[in-house]
């Protein structure tokens, strides 16, 4: 279970998170939505221990990770995986080396076993036989798939996705959404997706957390989110800017 | 300024901790020795050769006026071993390797590759910093020896075959006046210079500001800080080693 309690974070005079409280149950597919620049990625970085909060706590399976040292966090992160917004592939390595990186560093498998596992994982993300390509040879959607394969190769129990469909066309976005859903179902993992893409919410989400002004404004199922008549939620879901008077 | 010092101190401690307890691999260090040491040989040897040549020529022009021709190669040898070899080799490595380290790590930082490493159960110091610092510290003394050897050989060749200095007396003077401590001074300096260059490059890369401008700034800072640091450290080491050795 992931629990966030009273999380505050400021960068200079900008107060990005102003007391975030939320709980994500084990096995749940949670979607965190909010406007661009609203602190979604900052929240994700706190949950994964990549940055430390000014105040508040983050619990992963009961362990408070908010002020752990980096080497202690490494142990906690063995059970997690992150797919980054820009894929963050290691550009000096081939696709196969990227995907097999975790296992290679771990040193528990032979190179033959790693190659086999890499091939299986690439097949899962529909990238069969792409091991010898280089990240620079791949399209945006393919890079995200490789990033996902790299993240899940060690069978983590929690997978985080930071804007998985950002910058992709609707067709590729849809395929990524279905891929996330498929991995969620096949591997039975806790899934946390940061997005402002409503199609992702529909396809992947089981519970939605809406971040507004640095706080969780709404916790709901996707159906409840889309049916909401709350002006803030309605405007966000329907993509209406503040200058328009929706309810009139 | 205080934040910078805190980061430098923190990284130093982290490297020391990683050396003892980290999950670094010998294969990573060997790969870096190839990148840093083997691939820097040509630039270091060319630098050593031309430094030896010009030092021999200038020394000969002055010593010839007083009939001290056969001491020319001794001056070249001592200067190359203890001062010019290590300093010039280190300056060349700072430009080639230090800048590349800052640019590589800086790019990895701004493109979230370092965050990705952290989520893949890999500490950036174990995987990126320690192998680079260790490899440069190991490779630098060897590069210094190469620069010194090529510089002395170049000076000898120019002196004997180009300027007509007597080879027998020159060789005897050179061997008599060049002591083991001169070469040891150069090797020890190379060890410290290697550490300085690689640590500066890694620090600037890991803590660079976002964007292409941040990476460019980190690269420039690395070369400037390393170069000035080498000259200052050289002075300190010369004083200290002259007392110790």
């Amino acid at each position: 279970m992931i629990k966030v309690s009273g999380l505050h974070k400021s960068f200079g005079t900008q107060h990005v998170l102003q007391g975030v409280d939320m709980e994500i149950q084990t096995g749940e597919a949670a979607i965190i939505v909010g406007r661009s620049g609203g602190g979604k990625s900052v929240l994700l970085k706190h949950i994964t221990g990549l940055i430390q909060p000014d105040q508040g706590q983050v619990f992963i399976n009961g362990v408070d990770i908010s002020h752990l040292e980096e080497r202690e966090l490494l142990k906690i992160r063995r059970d997690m995986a992150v797919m980054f917004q820009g894929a963050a592939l290691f550009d000096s390595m081939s696709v196969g080396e990227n995907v097999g990186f975790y296992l290679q560093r771990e040193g528990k498998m032979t190179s033959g076993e790693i190659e086999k596992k890499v091939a299986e994982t690439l097949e899962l993300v529909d990238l069969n036989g792409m091991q010898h390509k280089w990240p620079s040879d791949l399209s945006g959607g393919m890079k995200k798939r490789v990033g996902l394969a790299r993240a899940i190769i060690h069978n983590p129990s929690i997978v985080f996705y930071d804007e998985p469909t950002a910058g992709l066309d609707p067709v590729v976005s849809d395929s990524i959404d279905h891929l996330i859903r498929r991995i969620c179902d096949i591997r039975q993992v806790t899934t946390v997706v940061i997005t402002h893409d409503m199609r992702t919410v529909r396809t992947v989400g089981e519970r939605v957390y809406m971040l507004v002004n640095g706080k969780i404004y709404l916790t709901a199922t996707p159906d409840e989110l889309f049916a909401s008549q709350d002006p803030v939620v309605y405007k966000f879901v329907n993509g209406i800017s503040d200058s328009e008077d929706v309810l009139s | 300024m205080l934040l910078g010092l805190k980061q430098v101190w923190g990284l130093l401690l982290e490297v020391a901790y990683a050396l003892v307890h980290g999950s670094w691999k010998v294969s990573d260090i060997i790969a870096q020795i190839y990148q840093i040491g083997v691939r820097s040989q040509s630039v270091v040897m060319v630098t050593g050769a031309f430094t030896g040549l010009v030092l021999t020529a200038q020394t000969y022009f002055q010593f010839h006026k007083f009939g001290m021709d056969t001491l020319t190669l001794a001056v070249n040898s001592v200067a190359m071993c203890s001062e010019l070899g290590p300093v010039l080799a280190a300056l060349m490595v700072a430009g080639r390797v230090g800048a590349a380290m800052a640019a590589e790590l800086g790019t990895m930082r701004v493109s979230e590759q370092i965050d990705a490493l952290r989520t893949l159960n890999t500490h950036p110091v174990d995987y990126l910093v320690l192998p680079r610092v260790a490899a440069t510290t190991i490779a630098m003394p060897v590069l210094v020896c190469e620069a010194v050897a090529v510089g002395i050989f170049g000076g000898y060749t120019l002196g004997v075959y180009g300027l007509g200095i007597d080879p027998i007396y020159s060789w005897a003077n050179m061997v008599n006046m060049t002591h083991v401590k001169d070469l040891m001074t150069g090797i020890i300096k190379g060890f410290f210079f290697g550490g300085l260059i690689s640590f500066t490059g890694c620090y600037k890369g890991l803590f660079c500001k976002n964007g292409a401008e941040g990476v460019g700034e980190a690269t420039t800072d690395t070369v400037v800080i390393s170069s000035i640091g080498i000259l200052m450290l050289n002075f300190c080491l010369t004083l200290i080693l002259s007392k110790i050795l």
Side-chain angles (χ1 to χ4, degrees):
Chain A
M1 189 180 78
I2 299 166
K3 185 181 174 188
V4 176
S5 173
L7 204 66
H8 287 258
K9 184 72 179 178
S10 300
F11 296 102
T13 55
Q14 194 183 357
H15 305 297
V16 181
L17 303 179
Q18 301 180 46
V20 175
D21 293 289
M22 61 190 290
E23 273 188 33
I24 298 168
Q25 300 303 319
T26 303
E28 188 176 74
I31 312 282
I32 301 171
V33 295
R35 294 179 62 173
S36 297
K40 302 187 296 295
S41 294
V42 173
L43 175 59
L44 181 79
K45 287 191 173 184
H46 279 93
I47 299 174
T48 51
L50 292 174
I51 50 179
Q52 292 191 333
D54 296 335
Q55 271 182 59
Q57 292 158 309
V58 176
F59 295 91
I60 303 289
N61 297 328
V63 180
D64 181 7
I65 67 158
S66 49
H67 291 96
L68 286 183
E69 293 290 324
E70 182 66 21
R71 289 188 190 277
E72 291 170 299
L73 279 167
L74 289 179
K75 293 170 196 162
I76 304 285
R77 290 202 201 104
R78 281 180 196 156
D79 216 20
M80 292 183 190
V82 182
M83 187 179 115
F84 288 86
Q85 190 171 350
L89 299 181
F90 305 127
D91 43 23
S92 58
M93 295 180 194
S94 68
V95 166
E97 287 167 334
N98 263 284
V99 175
F101 183 84
Y102 185 101
L103 301 178
Q104 192 266 331
R105 292 296 301 173
E106 198 179 39
K108 288 181 183 169
M109 286 184 171
T110 64
S111 54
E113 288 169 334
I114 293 173
E115 277 175 32
K116 195 178 165 198
K117 185 83 176 165
V118 166
E120 284 170 12
T121 313
L122 282 173
E123 195 179 335
L124 184 68
V125 298
D126 300 327
L127 284 176
N128 307 28
M130 301 288 276
Q131 287 91 322
H132 303 294
K133 294 266 186 193
W134 289 87
S136 55
D137 299 332
L138 306 177
S139 66
M142 289 161 93
K143 280 181 185 170
K144 297 220 176 188
R145 283 167 189 269
V146 175
L148 178 54
R150 184 180 67 180
I152 62 170
I153 194 163
H154 62 289
N155 298 324
S157 63
I158 309 171
V159 185
F160 299 94
Y161 301 84
D162 188 4
E163 305 271 12
T165 58
L168 302 178
D169 69 62
V171 177
V172 177
S173 296
D174 187 57
S175 70
I176 295 282
D177 288 341
H178 281 97
L179 181 59
I180 294 170
R181 188 65 249 177
R182 194 165 85 208
I183 287 163
C184 188
D185 293 337
I186 293 173
R187 300 264 176 110
Q188 299 289 307
V189 293
T190 305
T191 302
V192 182
V193 183
I194 299 286
T195 189
H196 47 239
D197 188 338
M198 289 301 116
R199 287 167 305 189
T200 305
V201 176
R202 277 199 184 90
T203 311
V204 181
E206 291 168 1
R207 184 156 291 274
V208 185
Y209 301 84
M210 188 173 172
L211 194 63
V212 178
N213 295 330
K215 289 181 178 173
I216 297 295
Y217 183 81
L218 173 82
T219 303
T221 63
D223 290 340
E224 288 165 353
L225 178 84
F226 291 116
S228 175
Q229 291 301 308
D230 180 289
V232 174
V233 178
Y234 186 88
K235 279 183 183 180
F236 179 78
V237 168
N238 293 287
I240 299 164
S241 64
D242 288 337
S243 57
E244 296 177 51
D245 188 359
V246 183
L247 295 177
S248 67
Chain B
M1 179 71 179
L2 276 176
L3 178 67
L5 284 175
K6 191 182 165 194
Q7 287 171 341
V8 168
W9 180 242
L11 186 58
L12 261 175
L13 289 180
E14 200 58 65
V15 172
Y17 182 90
L19 188 63
V20 182
H21 301 290
S23 58
W24 52 274
K25 294 186 175 181
V26 175
S27 58
D28 291 337
I29 297 177
I30 292 170
Q32 288 301 323
I33 287 176
Y34 175 76
Q35 288 293 331
I36 293 162
V38 178
R39 297 186 70 181
S40 295
Q41 284 186 108
S42 55
V43 71
V44 164
M45 285 164 82
V46 168
T47 305
F50 279 94
T51 305
L53 288 171
V54 79
L55 179 63
T56 301
Q58 282 293 354
T59 309
Y60 172 78
F61 297 149
Q62 303 309 315
F63 279 20
H64 184 63
K65 294 172 190 169
F66 305 100
M68 295 161 61
D69 301 10
T70 55
L71 289 174
T72 300
L73 297 182
V75 170
N76 178 39
S77 170
V78 173
M80 283 302 297
C81 282
S82 58
E83 299 295 336
L84 293 177
V87 170
L88 292 174
L91 289 174
M92 297 311 288
V93 172
R96 203 192 87 82
V97 174
M101 278 180 198
E104 188 181 357
L105 269 59
T107 306
M108 288 183 77
R109 177 179 154 83
V110 299
S111 59
E112 292 187 308
Q113 289 178 53
I114 289 180
D115 281 345
L117 269 182
R118 294 168 67 195
T119 63
L120 291 165
N121 197 27
T122 302
H123 198 295
V125 171
D126 295 356
Y127 181 66
L128 296 174
V129 180
L130 183 76
R132 281 166 174 76
V133 172
T136 317
T137 309
I138 292 166
M140 200 61 225
V142 180
L143 290 171
V144 167
C145 289
E146 287 178 358
V148 168
V150 173
I152 291 173
F153 176 76
Y156 182 87
T157 307
L158 175 70
V160 171
Y161 299 104
L163 302 171
I165 303 173
D166 183 278
I168 307 291
Y169 281 113
S170 285
W171 183 264
N173 284 335
M174 188 172 78
V175 171
N176 281 336
M177 292 184 186
T178 311
H179 303 116
V180 174
K181 82 164 196 177
D182 295 319
L183 187 59
M184 283 306 294
T185 300
I187 290 171
I188 293 169
K189 282 181 178 179
F191 180 81
F192 281 98
F193 293 161
L196 174 72
I197 294 164
S198 52
F199 187 82
T200 308
C202 291
Y203 167 71
K204 280 289 167 186
L206 279 182
F207 293 97
C208 86
K209 293 176 198 157
N210 275 336
E213 194 182 342
V215 177
E217 206 174 287
T219 309
T220 310
D221 285 354
T222 299
V223 177
V224 172
I225 293 169
S226 298
S227 302
I228 293 172
I230 287 163
L231 297 174
M232 290 167 71
L233 188 59
N234 182 54
F235 173 68
C236 297
L237 286 172
T238 298
L239 294 182
I240 294 166
L241 294 174
S242 69
K243 302 277 184 200
I244 296 172
L245 295 175

